[in-house]
Structure formats: structure tokens, C-alpha cells
Amino acid sequence: MDDLLPLPRTIETGAGSAEIAAGAVVSGPAALCDAVRLALGVLDPRPGDAATAALRVEEDPRLGPEAYVLTIAPDGVRIAAGDRAGAFYAAQTLRQALPDEAFRSALPPGTRWTLPCGRVADAPAFAWRGTHLDVSRSFLPKREVLRMIDLMASHKLNRLHLHLADDQGWRVESRAFPLLHEVGSHRPRTVVSHHGEDLAFDDVPHGGHYTLADLAEIAAYARARAVVVVPEIDVPGHASAVLAAYPALASRPGERYRVLDRWGISPAILSPLPATVDFLLTVFGEIADALGEVPYFHIGGDECVLDDWAASAEISAYRASLGLESTGDLHAWFLRRLADALAERGSRAVVWDEAFVSGGLRPDTIVMPWRGEHVARRAAAAGHDVVATPVFPMYFDYAEAASPEEPAGLGDAITLADVAAFEPAPASWSPEERARVVGTQFQLWSERIPDGRSLDYRAWPRGCAAAEVAWTGGPPASEDFARRLGRHLGRLDAIGVEYRPLSGPRPWQRGGTGRRRHRPGVVTVQEVMRHLHELSLSADSTRPSM
């Protein structure tokens, strides 16, 4: 068991071996047994009596949330778990101790495996271990979302941040406001030119959305696998798709809007007036009701052009009636109003770091500081829980090498080694600041992720390194991680993940001639991070950063 990923806290080897076979009996509390059966589905474990069980599960609340102790002994496998998630993760660890075939969808009849005896005691360093999936820029069908949940579960990742709305598309049904999905969920074409080139388009319609029933299914599927869905409706900016459907919500009366067909930022912004707040709270309620349990709801707050607010006499009068001095104050008030309403439903608001810099957040609002460590530390020092999401090294839309053989990325480069070296809660911070870092997640912005094969390539194996950092709390020993990752890739092969090989892309994964080929050196992540840090210091921090 020396090749597990992410690395457990304690691994002990023992004498002897144990045998486990397809159809083995599992016993214990029903909820915990169900979690073990789900994680080991290829073995088809059957619930039964403890006297005949090869797998025995018990609950031990003293272990804490998501924690477990896995013991493999000659008389069978025993799992003690702090909760259902702990039992699920113990079974995932047991699955990794088996041959790679345990990660396939089916096994030959009569399969039996022998395991060396040992003991694993484990618990996560961070409560939030996430994957951000942008389904707005490029819509991904439900099957890809469910598959990502499975892959997250295999890596002990537990937060799926679904970016459901942006300028380029609205991706969820609304029964109260059906034009959101009827109009806002599709665009007639998509830009194909690179940054700095004359605009060129593919003239291919693109669209799609999830029904509320789809959301309910996704949430139930995720919960069974110890994953919490975090929906994001990004407001008040990034609003082209909303305003294409309901232009009356715009800050500029009489303007016509369309779903954006190019990448980047639009000045389209929702009005902060009461009608907009009522509209959003109705939609938030629809989404929350579909998902069922929504401990976190992301409301964005990033990259807003506030010029239309300043130019509107009606909005300026409303701002004055609230006793607010500037449009920046109104931006902060607007997000606080939404967060207060979400809190009444039992959800904590999550925002990007511009909303923190604007000020006025509820104390329980979680901040995602994408613009770097400095603004992350400021948010933590101010008492906000922080999920570390910096562009470098957690934006996986950047190419993995500064090479024209890579498929086109936003910039270059964020390597596997960069991700593995990430420290979400830096040692240089104070203990109080470090304690405010509740976790980290990697971002899959989808301008250049048009389908599931591209998603696999961008996410893995960098996602393996992110999972290691999120579970263990810090960078792994490089040589040991490289050894364990090399072994882990066999499991991904068995699942059928089309990851980026460590040696570089396969011939069919390479950037092709023309627009799909990466352009090294045009946008470098180091230059981007310097620029973002400078912007995060500005009082006019809501403006687009790119």
C-alpha cells in the first residue's frame, strides 16, 4: 500500500494476507455499508451477517468528519469511519490497494484478489477539496458532469463548483423565467481566433442547459459519492445571457443584448434595483430547491463594469436612498443583500475576491481569491474563510507546457510540478490566517474545453496533484509523488481517462495546424499574476482584470 494517492496520514504494513472476492459480504450500519458498496461497485459486495462478512464496517465518531481507519487482516477487512464519507473514502483506499482492474466497470466471473495485510489511518487536511467546472462557456452534457463526480470521488475531492451562468450562456432551466433557458442557453456561433487577432467565428450554433430534474439527479449522484454541489450564478456582471432573455433587468434602458459569442468580458451588467434582486432570489430558490441541500451558493461578484450604474439617474438615486457614497459601495451592498437572503435559506454565500475588496461582505461569506496569495491573505486576516483558487497554479485552462504541440491554452504554462508544489496555506502566514484557509480547488474554465476528451486532458493528471495537496495540506515529496503518480496512471487507464501523458501529448492530442495550436510566450502566467496582484490593490477592483 505504498502507492496510494492522495497519500494517507499513516500507513503500516503487517504480516500475512487477506483475500477478497467479487460478491464478498459486507456488514455494519446500513448507511456506511451502502457507501462501501458504492465505492467498490465493481466487486458487487453484498450486505450480510458479520459472522460471514469479509468486510466489516463500524462508525466511530471520535475519528471526525471524513476520517477512517482501514485494517486488512487475515480474517478480513475492517473499516472504522467517522461518518459515511469516511467509510466511502476507506473503500476508495481499499480499491487502490487492489489491482488496476478494480477501476474497470466490470470483472470476469470468479475474480478473487489477495491483499497484503496492513493498516491505514487517514483524515483530510482541508474540508474543501474542489473542482470548478465551467459549463457556461462550453456546455458539457450531464453525462460529463456525472463522470467528473466519479473521478472526483476516486481522488477524495468533495466540492463540485458548477459555473452555471456567464456572458456566453445560461445553463439551467427556470420555470419562473423560462426565457433564461429558452433564449439564454444558446448562441449562433463561437469565436475561434486567438487573443490579439482579428475576430473570426466558426458559425456553428452552440447551446444546452440542465433541467431542474437534471440538477436534482446530479446533486443526488454527488451526495452519494461524498461530493457537495456548489452552484454559481455569477452576478451582477457577466450578464449578457441573462439580459438577452430579460433586457428589462439591464442598467441601461432600451439596450438590446445577445448571448456573447466571443471570449472575454462584456460591460453588460444587471441593475441593482429591487426588481433584479427579486428576480435573482426567485431563480436562486429554484436552483436550491432542485439541488436539495445547498450549504454553499456562489454569487460571483467579479469583473464588473459599473459605468452603467454610475450613468443611470434612477440607480444613482437608489444608491443615495440607501446612504451609499459610490457605485463600489452599491456593488458591495447588492452582494450583501443576496448573501443575507441565501443565509435565510441556510446557504453560505461564496464570492470571487473582487467582492471582498469591495467590502461589506457578511462575515460568514467564503472568499475565492483567484488573483493570488496577497489578496488571499488579506481576506483571511479580515476573518473570512478562504478557498485558495489562484490562477497560478490552479487554473487548468492554461497550457501544461510552453510548446506548440499543446492544444491551445489561455497562456503558458502551468505544469504538473507547479500544481504539486502549491501550498494553499503558506507557512509564512500567521496561525490565525492559516486556519482561515478551508481548502483549495482547481478551475476548469471551458473556453478551450469543447468536449469530454478535452476535459480529461486538461484535468488529469494535474487534478491528481491538486487532490494530493488538498487532502494532505501541502506539497508532497517530489520523488515519492512522481513514483505514486506513475502507478496511479494505470488506474486512470483502467477507468478510460484520456489524460495528458507525463511525456507530452499523444499525436491525436496535439495542437493541430492553425487555430488549435498553442502559441507559446504570447501570454505567460507570471506576467498575468503580476498584473492581477496590482489590480487587487485598487479601490476600483471590480473592473475586468484581463
Side-chain angles (χ1 to χ4, degrees), residues 199-538:
L199 288 177
F201 299 88
D202 61 9
D203 295 322
V204 177
H206 179 86
H209 71 276
Y210 310 112
T211 66
L212 293 174
D214 289 336
L215 274 195
E217 178 187 359
I218 289 167
Y221 193 88
R223 273 194 297 274
R225 290 153 180 81
V227 173
V228 174
V229 175
V230 182
E232 181 184 0
I233 301 297
D234 195 353
V235 294
H238 291 276
S240 297
V242 179
L243 296 177
Y246 292 97
L249 297 174
S251 301
R252 184 183 299 178
E255 184 82 6
R256 294 189 63 184
Y257 295 86
R258 57 183 175 80
V259 180
L260 205 63
D261 54 14
R262 59 174 177 79
W263 311 134
I265 311 302
S266 158
I269 186 170
L270 296 172
S271 159
L273 298 176
T276 302
V277 173
D278 293 342
F279 171 92
L280 290 174
L281 293 181
T282 298
V283 174
F284 288 2
E286 289 185 291
I287 293 170
D289 289 344
L291 291 172
E293 299 173 22
V294 188
Y296 315 101
F297 202 116
H298 204 303
I299 56 177
D302 62 310
E303 296 182 320
C304 298
V305 180
L306 302 179
D307 296 350
D308 286 352
W309 286 10
S312 167
E314 183 181 14
I315 292 173
S316 295
Y318 183 63
R319 172 184 57 75
S321 74
L322 297 171
L324 302 174
E325 294 185 0
S326 68
T327 54
D329 293 338
L330 184 57
H331 176 263
W333 176 90
F334 179 81
L335 295 172
R336 174 68 178 254
R337 174 70 182 86
L338 296 176
D340 287 342
L342 287 170
E344 293 175 4
R345 296 187 59 101
S347 299
R348 289 179 70 181
V350 188
V351 295
W352 300 109
D353 65 60
E354 291 96 328
F356 160 71
V357 177
S358 287
L361 293 179
R362 285 176 57 93
D364 62 351
T365 298
I366 298 170
V367 177
M368 289 188 169
W370 67 284
R371 293 184 293 181
E373 178 184 324
H374 298 285
V375 70
R377 187 172 190 177
R378 287 157 55 198
H384 288 285
D385 285 345
V386 166
V387 178
T389 57
V391 170
F392 181 81
M394 303 303 278
Y395 270 38
F396 288 6
D397 50 334
Y398 278 72
E400 294 168 78
S403 166
E405 288 197 342
E406 293 291 329
L410 177 61
D412 58 64
I414 292 176
T415 68
L416 174 68
D418 292 331
V419 181
F422 182 47
E423 190 177 11
S428 59
W429 292 14
S430 72
E432 294 78 14
E433 292 164 345
R434 287 171 53 83
R436 283 293 179 182
V437 180
V438 296
T440 185
Q441 69 180 29
F442 59 91
Q443 277 59 241
L444 290 160
W445 298 104
S446 65
E447 290 93 333
R448 294 165 182 83
I449 302 178
D451 52 39
R453 300 185 83 174
S454 302
L455 182 65
D456 273 5
Y457 185 88
R458 294 292 188 198
W460 314 103
R462 289 185 294 187
C464 304
E468 173 94 3
V469 167
W471 184 266
T472 64
S478 58
E479 291 184 4
D480 177 66
F481 176 71
R483 177 187 61 80
R484 287 184 291 113
L485 178 63
R487 171 69 178 82
H488 186 71
L489 294 181
R491 301 171 187 133
L492 298 187
D493 286 329
I495 295 170
V497 178
E498 295 190 80
Y499 58 85
R500 180 188 186 274
L502 301 180
S503 59
R506 297 180 174 93
W508 58 90
Q509 294 174 318
R510 293 173 187 160
T513 57
R515 304 193 184 281
R516 285 193 64 249
R517 186 182 294 277
H518 184 55
R519 299 186 304 160
V522 175
V523 178
T524 66
V525 71
Q526 292 82 5
E527 293 173 358
V528 168
M529 293 308 296
R530 282 194 294 270
H531 176 59
L532 293 177
H533 170 58
E534 292 170 359
L535 287 168
S536 73
L537 300 175
S538 169

Side-chain angles (χ1 to χ4, degrees), residues 93-114:
T93 296
L94 178 62
R95 188 183 181 199
Q96 287 195 11
L98 298 171
D100 293 345
E101 281 68 29
F103 286 81
R104 296 190 180 277
S105 300
L107 295 172
T111 296
R112 307 180 74 88
W113 287 314
T114 300

